[in-house]
Amino acid sequence: MSIITNINKLFDHRIRLGIMSVLMVNEYADFNMLKELLGATDGNLASHTKALEKGEYIKVEKQFIGRKPNTRYSTTKLGRAAFKKHIEALESIINKQK
Amino acid sequence: MSIITNINKLFDHRIRLGIMSVLMVNEYADFNMLKELLGATDGNLASHTKALEKGEYIKVEKQFIGRKPNTRYSTTKLGRAAFKKHIEALESIINKQK
DNA sequence: TAAAGTACTTTGAAATTCAAAGTATAATGA
DNA sequence: TCATTATACTTTGAATTTCAAAGTACTTTA
């Protein structure tokens, strides 16, 4: 049980951390919203959302808004639980600094 | 200026986060101490310390203790400043969750 | 003095990251 | 109306990073 035991590999990247962080406080976020909020390129964002999707931490819904495709993301129960644990692990590391 | 702007790429990995975290609260840590605290393999730890060293965030001193080689690590001023900034960025993400 | 242990370092395969290019459709403008 | 530009992603593959196994150079132990 080391100090980094509860750091989740899947959240251990700034873009994925950002995606989760946005999705924890917003019920949904679409591709462009995430792209803008995180300053990621299209391809980069797509691969990170795919990684989180594969881990079943986020859910993807594709729809059309008017005639435009729109992809929106939301967290899963599993994702929310995992993220909370990750945040707690970070907090515990941070508190050691104080 | 996105929510992940101040997340430092070099600290954005659990092992390097762990190394810095240990070195922030201990003046020195040697190879084995870090290895044990972080549960890293030798090769893995070596490459992460090398990355932090290259970024001039930690300093490496090699000496002999008795007849055994001993490598000890400590933070640099630059490293401490960068890590503080990183921790503040994490805190700000965490606080958004509350 | 052979075998096992210590303290790393090197190596290279595997996994990950990333942006450029691609796809498909929609909107715009001439 | 038809070419051009824009939108919303996806695919691709080169570059980088991660990782553990194997290697090196001793030292300790039996």
Side-chain angles (χ1 to χ4, degrees):
Chain A
M1 235 311 216
S2 94
I3 59 165
I4 55 173
T5 300
N6 288 309
I7 296 291
N8 191 319
K9 267 191 178 189
L10 254 178
F11 300 141
D12 202 11
H13 184 285
R14 66 200 194 294
I15 295 185
R16 290 192 299 270
L17 185 75
I19 293 169
M20 285 306 292
S21 178
V22 169
L23 291 179
M24 288 293 282
V25 294
N26 297 280
E27 198 169 354
Y28 293 100
D30 65 19
F31 193 87
N32 283 323
M33 181 177 171
L34 287 176
K35 202 176 110 179
E36 202 170 314
L37 284 173
L38 304 174
T41 58
D42 293 12
N44 200 3
L45 180 58
S47 61
H48 289 300
T49 52
K50 194 163 283 176
L52 290 171
E53 197 191 347
K54 201 177 157 199
E56 290 179 54
Y57 287 166
I58 66 172
K59 190 163 95 249
V60 181
E61 287 165 273
K62 281 164 188 299
Q63 52 170 347
F64 276 86
I65 290 184
R67 303 175 149 252
K68 286 187 193 174
N70 180 266
T71 302
R72 67 180 197 177
Y73 303 92
S74 56
T75 55
T76 62
K77 204 170 178 180
L78 186 69
R80 282 191 299 280
F83 193 66
K84 274 182 192 157
K85 201 170 161 190
H86 182 76
I87 290 295
E88 278 160 26
L90 286 178
E91 274 185 322
S92 122
I93 286 176
I94 290 169
N95 289 333
K96 290 208 174 66
Q97 305 304 316
K98 302 261 164 86
Chain B
M1 237 310 218
S2 94
I3 58 163
I4 54 172
T5 300
N6 288 310
I7 296 290
N8 190 319
K9 268 192 178 190
L10 254 178
F11 300 141
D12 203 12
H13 183 284
R14 67 200 193 296
I15 294 186
R16 290 193 299 270
L17 185 75
I19 292 168
M20 285 306 292
S21 178
V22 169
L23 291 180
M24 288 295 280
V25 294
N26 298 279
E27 198 170 352
Y28 293 100
D30 65 20
F31 193 86
N32 283 322
M33 181 176 170
L34 287 175
K35 202 177 110 179
E36 202 171 314
L37 283 173
L38 304 174
T41 59
D42 293 11
N44 200 4
L45 180 57
S47 62
H48 288 300
T49 53
K50 194 163 282 175
L52 290 171
E53 197 191 345
K54 200 176 157 198
E56 290 180 55
Y57 288 167
I58 66 172
K59 189 164 95 253
V60 182
E61 287 167 272
K62 281 165 188 297
Q63 51 171 349
F64 276 86
I65 292 183
R67 303 174 150 253
K68 285 188 193 172
N70 180 267
T71 303
R72 68 181 197 177
Y73 302 92
S74 56
T75 55
T76 62
K77 204 169 177 180
L78 186 70
R80 282 192 299 281
F83 192 67
K84 273 181 193 158
K85 200 170 161 190
H86 180 77
I87 291 294
E88 278 160 25
L90 286 179
E91 274 184 323
S92 123
I93 287 177
I94 289 170
N95 290 332
K96 289 210 175 65
Q97 306 303 315
K98 301 260 164 88

